[in-house]
Amino acid sequence: YKNTTSTNKNIISDPFTVLVMGVDSEVNGLSNSTSFNGDSLLLVTFNPKTLKATILSIPRDSYVPIMCFKNQVENKITHAAWYGTDCMMKTVTNFTGIDIDYYAKVNFKALVALVDAVGGVDIDVPYSFCEQNSNRAWGKNTIYVKKGLQSLNGEQALAYSRNRHAWPQYCSKEWNQGVRSDIIRGQHQQDVIEALLK
């Protein structure tokens, strides 16, 4: 969607920036999505003259002034999504100094469907892990992904994009190796975007 408060740009010749927001919703569609956290925040700037793009991942727990909170009090940037897209865009722009021309909002089911629609994505997975599925279910629904070059389906790509913790209470030791963090998770999300583009 176009940011209605941004300046008009010619996307054929002028660089433009898109804020991609992954919201933590497991339902189909985005109705009432303002009540969810903005857990994945990626600023993608595309230069149509060079055909190159840069991606900046913003960790969900970055402590910044939230532009729609009273007195712009600082909080986790993910909480700006509680007040809608406009609040999130203003908060990200204030934090980064980058004007946002467009935005895209994606939830769990949308990512699963997108990856499945292109027949999966090839990712060199840095560690074996387990994660909830797109319905936030464990048990027989747990998603397992092994270390190494893998062709991931939609559920596996979502799990890869979400994983930032070990889960010893749900999975055995072999699935809980490797360094995990929100920074690593941001790299994984960029891996999925790059693989989708390929």
Side-chain angles (χ1 to χ4, degrees), residues 150-161:
Q150 306 291 339
S151 183
L152 304 182
N153 65 28
E155 286 285 353
Q156 293 168 322
L158 174 67
Y160 182 70
S161 298

Side-chain angles (χ1 to χ4, degrees), residues 61-74:
D61 292 338
S62 299
Y63 213 66
V64 301
I66 307 298
M67 300 310 287
C68 56
F69 282 14
K70 185 177 181 180
N71 299 322
Q72 298 175 352
V73 68
E74 291 188 352

